[in-house]
Each structure stands twice: as C-alpha cells, then as structure tokens.
Amino acid sequence: MAKLAFYISYDKYNRNEAPGISAFVQLLRNSGNEVDFLTGEEELLKKVRQEKYDCVALSILSSAEIRELLATAIKVKKEDPFVTTIIGGHGVDEYPDLINALGVDMLIEGEGELVLPEVLRHIKRASQTRKDWLVIPFDSEIDISKEEREFLGEGIDLILQTKAFYKSPISNEQADALKKSRIKRKINGRVVHLPLKNVSFNTGDTTVRLEGGNDLYPTAKEFEKMAVYPWQDIKDRGWTGISLYVQKGCNWGRCSYCGIITPPGRRLPVHRVIELLEEAASHGIKTVTFDDDQFIQNTTWTQELLDKIIKKGINKKIAFGAMIRVDSIKDKDILKKLGKANFGRLQIGVESFVPEKIRYFNKTIKGKEKEYIKKAEDLIYACLEEGIVPGVFIITSRPRKKNAILEISKELLKISRIIKKSAKYEIMPVFSFNDMLMAYPGAPLLKTEGYRKVLAPLRPVKDGSRIKIEKIEIPYAFKPGSMALANFIGTHLKISRQRGVPGEVLNETWEHIEDLTKALEICAGHLDTDIGTALAFIEEIGGQGPDSAKSQGGLNHTFRDLANRLGVEIQGREQFQQLIIQRRVSPGELKDAVNRSQNKELKKIIARLQKELSKEKEAVTKTCAEIMDNLRVVSIPTHKRVQRYLSDTKEELKEISCEKEDRELFLKKTGEIKKRTEKLIDQVYPFLAGRSALESLIEWVDEFFEQPVMS
C-alpha cells in the first residue's frame, strides 16, 4: 500500500483538542497504509524533504483555506516533484477547476472514507529518473500587473519564483488502474462493486474526471467500522481533548447560508460511541466535543447515549460539548440529562433574534419565526439553570438595502437584554458573532445575493511567447447591500483593530458588543446627512432587488438621466455612490439635477428618505444607549468581582510563600488556587478584560514556583 503524508493546517488555531478528522487518519492506516499525520506547514515540508512519500494529502477545513492550501501544494512539489498531491475536504465539491492548479495532481470531492483508501492502492511514487519530465522550467515573461500580484497572495509569488510547470507523476498504468478500480461494499445485505466517482486526476497532459452520483457516502454500518482513533498521535501531540464525529449530515439542511448536502441519519450505534469514550478516558482525554453538524437529530438515540454516559460514570472523567439547533430541544428533560452527563457547553445555532433575519436564514418553518426566537431565549436560560454554558452563534449583518443599521441595533439590544437577565446565574451565555454573512460553498444564497470574491492563482498557461496566470474565483462574503451597512462594517473593523486582539478571541466577548455599538452610534450620525441621504437616494432609484425603485413605476430609467445631467459616466449604482463619497459630485449638485429633471416622484423620494433616515438615526441612537446601559449593569460588578479576587489571591500567595520549603503543601495550595481561578474564568468568560487578568494570574502562579521564598 502507500506511504502517505496526511496534512491539515491546524496548528494555527492553537487548540488543545485533536481534530475530528483524526479518525480518518487511523482509517487509512487500518487500510494498510503508512501514514504520517501532520498539522503544521513547516512540519509537513520537513517530512517531505526527509521521507519518500507516495502521496501527500492536503485536507481543506473550509473554503477560506483554498488559497493557503494551493500555495502549500506548490511548496510540496518544490521539495519533491515525485510525490502525488491530493486535495480534498470541505467545499472542494464546488471548485472542480482546482484540478488545474499548479502542484495539484488529484482532487477528491465529497466524503473520502471509501474513496481515498481505494485510490491509495494504485498510486506509487514516481521514479527518480523522471525529474526532467516532471519539472519543466520556462523563461517566458509572466503577464501579470503589480496590482494583480498584490491581490493574489502567496500563491502567485511562488509561481513567479518557481517559473516551472509541474507534471503529474501519475502514470498511464496507474490511471488505467484507477479507471478500472472498484470499491467492494455490502449494502442492504447485497455485495456490490462500485467504480470510483467524484475523483479528478492529471496524468501526463490529460485530466481524467471520474464523475458520478452520491452513492459513495458511507452507510451507517460502514461508518461504524471507520470509527477508530490514532491515540498515539493524540498522546504525542499533547492533546487532552478530542473532537468526535458520531453522526453524518444534518436533519434540517435548509439554512439559506449553508451548503451541507450530505445525507443525514447515519450515526454510530450507542455502544460504539461508549467504547470510543471509554478509550478516550483510558488515554487521559479530559474533554470531548461532538463535532456533528447537529447533535440531537434522533432523540431516542441521544437519550440512550446520555443514559449510558451517566451509568458508566464517563461523565465523571470527561467534560462534553456539542452543537445543537434551537428546535432540537423539545423539553427540559433532555437538557437536564445533558447537564447530568457533564455537557459543560452547548453551541446553539440561533443566528438571530430578529424575525425577518430568521426568515431570511430559513432557520425554522415559515411563520414560526417569533416562536423560534422565544424558544431560543428560553433555551439559553434553561442551559444556565442547568449549569451549561450556552454558546450562541449570531450572524450580525445580512445583505440589506434599507434599515440595515436599525436591524443590527435591534439584534444587539435583544442580546444585551439577555446578558443583563443572565447576571443572576453563576455562569454567563457566550455570544459568538460572525459580523458578515459568509458565502459558504453551495449555499442557496449564492444564487440570489451578490457576493465578494477572492482570487486564487491556479497555474501558469502558455499564451504565445508569454505566460498568463489562470485564476479561480472563491466566494468570500456577501455584499452589504447598502452604503450605510458597508460604512458600519468598515467603521467597526477600525474600532476593533485598536484593541490588538485576534478576531476569533474578540468575537465572543462583551467588548465586541461594545465595539459594534460604538460603530452603530457613529454610522447612525451619518444617516441623515446630505451625503447619507444622497447615497440612500441612489440606492433607491438605481438599486437591484424587490424593494428597489426598479420595481416601482419604472423609476430606474431616471438613474442614467441624472448621471447625464451631472455630466458623469457611470456603469452602475456603486460607481455613482463612489462619485458622491469622493466629492466628485456633491449632494447639492445631485439635488439640483433632480430639481431640473422636473420629476415630482424623485423629489418625493428625497423628502421621504430624509424623514425615514432621521427616524432611523433617532431609533438607533436611543437603542445604542440602552445596549451600553445593559452591558454596564453586568460588566461593572463583574470587573469589581475579578479585582477583589485578584487582590485576595495575591495576599493568599504571599501567605503561603513561607510554606514553599514544604513542596507538597505548597503545590497543593497553589494547585487549588489555579483550579479556583480556572473556574472563575469559565464564569466570567465573555468579559475579556476580566478573563485576561485571571489568565495572567495563572501564568504568574506558574512562575511563582521558581521564585525564592518571600520574607
């Protein structure tokens, strides 16, 4: 079988938890392959230099990593052109052209548990004598501008430095074997032999695509056999937690921003999950996160699993976490059982507390949006009552033309009220914000909304005597929909950057809500200014969508008429707005052009917008004041609580310093202080200032071991 390096870019997240894909690595080993599991790029490239691999598999955790992984593929080829590079993972299905990327030899779409082991049976390392054929340098000039080079990221720099074509080491014989290959399966008691599907690979100058349907998803029975973990790797890397996939697919599968299409209903039997958890406990694992798209898909299965965890005492050895939907909790009994089973945190995909957004995201049955929001709020308080930290996912904004700033303020107001009401509990809810609606591969919204893209360089292509760069567009985030919203996003970004805290840390704190509120206050002040009114007017008469003037009496034809009166050439609404922002056209000039047009309807629109924007400004300003008041109600006493604790603990440390010579007693007391501090960190977690101070205390306690005895 094959000698393989399996890589995911995971070290950058600084997690103390083995990724869920670890089970896939062990599956490949159990299929007879020699596999090195690598989680950092430097580690990967070092191993590629040292080992003579048959294949390097690069697994993408999200489509945001595509540019990074393509650059990694080129680096691998620079180190070893004889190895076959394979790309697979989340979102690959939507980008079949990735097979054309420089340094990429094979693309595997969809779930790879059945496909990759079969592929590895046929792929062998190329002969060392083939290097001149595998690496073909070129001297031609590469046709690329300075702006393009800056925009295309690290991948283009590598292409420019390399100035070579990499040919695939997959031979014709291996290609024929892959085409003829069959996967033996037993489905519904019947043995079948299915060809490889959804696999593309390069051989020589040819790209072969083995296309087909979705019948290579593992069944529940097959999934059970694949549930194995590389405990030695986990121990070697010092991970004390693991992510487990025990169910495949999502039983809702209708969220408008999500692209999950894998069939649901495939889950491990309870006895196998219990075996895995007992194995984890025996290997010193302290935390387990169920990384399923939705943990409570089958209530009977979930209840049985929780009962077994409690009965076998696993809840006393391991703390658990999971992701759930609001609608998955039918009663409080299962929540109580989750608490008893030591589920310390539940990530809840609420996404919004605004009915219109819930409808837009398709989070529940149409017409049930208010009921959904009430359920979500009740679920948060019920979790707190059971001692479970509710982690609440929120999408801050969505593409919206009108009242976008007001909608965000309503969202934050509801959240601040929940935080204020939660102050009576020992723990607090943690709201995790995604400030822009991300454009995930395969999401239904990609068909209806405009979105921003990032470009990734694929490969150099000969064009006569020169070389052009072939590129691929990757959806990144949906366009804001209005200048007011775009202004808010930009303003908030500037404010949050001043804190010097990574976004993934800041996005789940009270400080983040403060920053969002400050940005709202600033942007609300711009709404009814002359420029704000002019920008809103242009959106109204030249916009796209059902709430635009395009569908209101044919006003859209006046869009270009006004541009002509102003003596400017424009291609669209955004360009017209930029002329206003850049002061190349003043709001006064625009108003004069409207007056000269003698279009009474346009004058009415301006007058109406001025009133609407003033009203929105007033509402947002008032709402922001309440949001900040609500946050102060919880943050001020929490700050005082942390300061008192820090003061008391430092005094306690001074007292026990004289016991430093009695090391056993000293270690016991400082250990107790650390545990107490870690518990308080969990209780004040969303208050970043307090959490950071407590984390610094723990570091100080650790350093205290090395200090001399105090007098």
Side-chain angles (χ1 to χ4, degrees):
M1 299 298 279
K3 183 175 183 179
L4 171 73
F6 190 95
Y7 171 74
I8 59 169
S9 181
Y10 189 71
D11 288 354
K12 62 190 177 190
Y13 297 111
N14 295 316
R15 292 176 184 163
N16 194 27
E17 182 177 76
I21 204 167
S22 303
F24 190 26
V25 173
Q26 191 60 42
L27 167 66
L28 296 173
R29 288 176 180 154
N30 291 354
S31 300
N33 302 290
E34 181 183 343
V35 185
D36 286 331
F37 183 27
L38 309 168
T39 54
E41 189 180 76
E42 286 187 18
E43 177 189 29
L44 167 67
L45 297 176
K46 181 180 178 181
K47 293 290 284 186
V48 169
R49 284 192 291 271
Q50 294 173 345
E51 306 290 337
K52 294 185 183 298
Y53 291 115
D54 295 306
C55 304
V56 173
L58 307 173
S59 182
I60 295 175
L61 292 173
S62 76
S63 59
E65 291 186 344
I66 288 177
R67 288 213 306 185
E68 176 189 340
L69 264 290
L70 292 181
T72 301
I74 296 173
K75 293 175 185 177
V76 168
K77 284 293 187 179
K78 287 182 73 174
E79 297 292 347
D80 185 359
F82 307 99
V83 71
T84 294
T85 53
I86 304 172
I87 284 188
H90 180 75
V92 167
D93 315 46
E94 300 296 319
Y95 307 107
D97 287 345
L98 289 175
I99 191 60
N100 298 326
L102 185 68
V104 175
D105 302 316
M106 181 178 287
L107 192 69
I108 296 179
E109 303 172 29
E111 296 177 6
E113 290 95 334
L114 294 171
V115 176
L116 186 53
E118 181 62 23
V119 165
L120 295 178
R121 289 183 56 237
H122 305 290
I123 301 296
K124 299 299 175 188
R125 179 180 179 79
S127 168
Q128 297 287 128
T129 60
R130 299 181 67 197
K131 184 170 183 179
D132 291 343
W133 185 82
L134 292 171
V135 184
I136 305 174
F138 59 82
D139 296 322
S140 304
E141 195 70 27
I142 296 180
D143 192 6
I144 185 169
S145 67
K146 181 181 178 181
E147 291 76 17
E148 278 186 301
R149 181 169 180 173
E150 291 175 353
F151 192 64
L152 286 170
E154 184 185 15
I156 190 62
D157 292 333
L158 288 166
I159 291 174
L160 294 172
Q161 293 164 14
T162 304
K163 295 199 80 172
F165 300 104
Y166 290 115
K167 295 290 185 179
S168 170
I170 299 175
S171 67
N172 291 332
E173 292 77 14
Q174 292 171 5
D176 289 340
L178 289 168
K179 293 175 191 175
K180 297 175 183 176
S181 181
R182 295 293 183 271
I183 298 174
K184 183 180 178 180
R185 304 179 66 187
K186 191 172 184 179
I187 301 176
N188 296 326
R190 187 167 64 92
V191 175
V192 295
H193 296 81
L194 299 175
L196 287 176
K197 295 180 181 179
N198 301 324
V199 176
S200 303
F201 58 88
N202 297 315
T203 175
D205 292 320
T206 304
T207 296
V208 178
R209 298 183 186 271
L210 305 178
E211 299 175 334
N214 297 329
D215 56 359
L216 287 184
Y217 287 120
T219 63
K221 287 279 188 185
E222 290 169 326
F223 182 34
E224 181 179 353
K225 295 176 183 177
M226 297 170 180
V228 287
Y229 272 76
W231 299 114
Q232 191 59 47
D233 286 274
I234 292 169
K235 179 182 177 183
D236 292 345
R237 292 185 178 274
W239 287 322
T240 58
I242 60 171
S243 295
L244 285 182
Y245 285 106
V246 298
Q247 301 173 92
K248 293 275 192 177
C250 173
N251 65 339
W252 176 249
R254 284 174 263 176
C255 296
S256 61
Y257 55 82
C258 182
I260 295 173
I261 56 171
T262 53
R266 297 169 294 155
R267 61 184 57 86
L268 297 180
V270 168
H271 72 84
R272 182 61 190 127
V273 180
I274 293 298
E275 288 171 359
L276 284 173
L277 296 179
E278 288 178 330
E279 287 176 26
S282 70
H283 285 90
I285 296 300
K286 302 299 181 185
T287 62
V288 169
T289 301
F290 290 100
D291 252 358
D292 312 325
D293 297 308
Q294 212 284 81
F295 181 63
I296 306 176
Q297 300 193 41
N298 181 298
T299 304
T300 301
W301 179 90
T302 305
Q303 294 271 20
E304 184 184 349
L305 175 61
L306 296 176
D307 287 337
K308 289 285 177 64
I309 287 173
I310 296 165
K311 182 178 179 180
K312 290 183 172 289
I314 301 173
N315 56 328
K316 297 176 181 177
K317 303 173 185 176
I318 295 175
F320 297 98
M323 290 189 287
I324 63 171
R325 292 186 66 250
V326 170
D327 289 335
S328 67
I329 300 291
K330 304 300 182 185
D331 55 60
K332 288 187 178 181
D333 288 342
I334 194 166
L335 205 58
K336 288 181 181 294
K337 197 167 287 186
L338 283 162
K340 191 175 180 181
N342 201 20
F343 276 70
R345 183 162 176 166
L346 291 175
Q347 294 295 144
I348 310 168
V350 177
E351 313 308 350
S352 178
F353 292 95
V354 177
E356 293 80 8
K357 285 173 70 178
I358 295 300
R359 190 177 308 116
Y360 179 81
F361 295 145
N362 203 27
K363 290 296 297 181
T364 192
I365 298 168
K366 283 194 170 36
K368 300 286 186 179
E369 292 82 12
K370 290 184 179 179
E371 183 180 326
Y372 172 93
I373 290 168
K374 178 67 166 57
K375 280 184 185 177
E377 190 174 355
D378 290 345
L379 177 56
I380 290 170
Y381 299 134
C383 283
L384 294 172
E385 287 173 6
E386 297 302 326
I388 300 171
V389 174
V392 184
F393 291 126
I394 296 292
I395 299 173
T396 308
S397 65
R398 60 170 172 138
R400 184 172 171 82
K401 267 176 57 84
K402 286 190 174 184
N403 303 120
I405 304 302
L406 181 60
E407 184 174 83
I408 295 170
S409 72
K410 290 178 179 178
E411 187 80 80
L412 296 183
L413 178 61
K414 183 66 174 179
I415 290 168
S416 72
R417 287 173 175 171
I418 293 172
I419 291 172
K420 180 181 177 181
K421 190 174 177 180
S422 301
K424 64 182 180 181
Y425 298 101
E426 190 175 83
I427 53 178
M428 298 294 290
V430 178
F431 291 89
S432 299
F433 290 86
N434 191 344
D435 291 327
M436 289 191 296
L437 182 59
M438 307 309 292
Y440 296 115
L445 282 178
L446 289 174
K447 299 176 181 177
T448 60
E449 298 286 1
Y451 52 86
R452 302 194 186 282
K453 314 177 194 86
V454 295
L455 289 178
L458 282 180
R459 61 179 174 179
V461 179
K462 285 186 177 181
D463 183 26
S465 61
R466 299 179 69 82
I467 297 289
K468 288 190 174 182
I469 300 297
E470 189 175 307
K471 311 174 191 74
I472 185 172
E473 291 184 343
I474 304 165
Y476 170 62
F478 289 98
K479 292 182 178 180
S482 71
M483 269 297 172
L485 182 54
N487 184 30
F488 164 76
I489 292 169
T491 302
H492 171 253
L493 194 58
K494 289 178 183 177
I495 292 171
S496 62
R497 280 176 176 167
Q498 293 173 5
R499 292 189 183 271
V501 178
E504 62 271 18
V505 175
L506 189 60
N507 287 359
E508 52 181 21
T509 65
W510 295 342
E511 286 85 344
H512 185 69
I513 300 174
E514 288 178 3
D515 291 347
L516 289 169
T517 306
K518 289 175 185 176
L520 284 174
E521 288 175 324
I522 292 169
C523 295
H526 299 161
L527 284 173
D528 63 348
T529 62
D530 289 343
I531 289 180
T533 304
L535 295 174
F537 174 73
I538 293 169
E539 284 167 3
E540 181 104 2
I541 67 167
Q544 302 296 323
D547 61 339
S548 72
K550 185 176 182 180
S551 58
Q552 298 172 10
L555 287 175
N556 197 45
H557 75 277
T558 62
F559 180 65
R560 294 193 178 279
D561 177 59
L562 287 175
N564 291 335
R565 291 179 183 277
L566 290 164
V568 294
E569 292 186 7
I570 55 169
Q571 299 299 318
R573 184 196 74 194
E574 290 185 9
Q575 188 182 3
F576 202 167
Q577 289 177 315
Q578 285 301 318
L579 293 177
I580 297 289
I581 293 169
Q582 296 164 5
R583 305 299 177 109
R584 291 170 60 188
V585 173
S586 72
E589 289 172 328
L590 177 60
K591 195 170 184 179
D592 287 343
V594 170
N595 290 332
R596 282 186 279 114
S597 73
Q598 297 184 346
N599 188 321
K600 293 181 180 179
E601 193 63 34
L602 292 182
K603 293 178 183 179
K604 288 180 181 178
I605 290 174
I606 290 180
R608 172 173 56 78
L609 284 173
Q610 287 174 331
K611 291 180 181 179
E612 289 176 353
L613 293 171
S614 293
K615 188 176 179 181
E616 183 177 1
K617 173 185 174 180
E618 183 181 350
V620 171
T621 303
K622 183 179 178 181
T623 301
C624 286
E626 184 181 343
I627 293 168
M628 296 302 281
D629 285 344
N630 290 339
L631 290 178
R632 279 190 284 270
V633 167
V634 290
S635 62
I636 291 174
T638 304
H639 175 75
K640 290 179 179 178
R641 177 186 179 190
V642 170
Q643 289 302 310
R644 281 196 304 270
Y645 179 83
L646 291 171
S647 178
D648 293 345
T649 303
K650 286 184 179 180
E651 289 300 317
E652 186 179 353
L653 282 167
K654 287 179 182 179
E655 290 177 9
I656 67 172
S657 64
C658 60
E659 299 168 352
K660 205 169 182 183
E661 292 178 351
D662 185 344
R663 188 163 180 79
E664 186 175 337
L665 180 60
F666 178 76
L667 289 173
K668 179 182 177 183
K669 289 192 174 182
T670 52
E672 289 172 354
I673 289 173
K674 285 179 67 174
K675 284 183 180 179
R676 207 168 61 222
T677 306
E678 288 167 353
K679 183 178 179 181
L680 183 55
I681 287 173
D682 290 340
Q683 292 171 356
V684 304
Y685 186 87
F687 179 40
L688 180 60
R691 190 208 320 168
S692 300
L694 293 169
E695 288 170 344
S696 296
L697 174 63
I698 290 178
E699 292 176 9
W700 190 79
V701 170
D702 288 336
E703 292 172 4
F704 193 66
F705 285 110
E706 306 303 323
Q707 294 177 359
V709 176
M710 296 181 183
S711 58

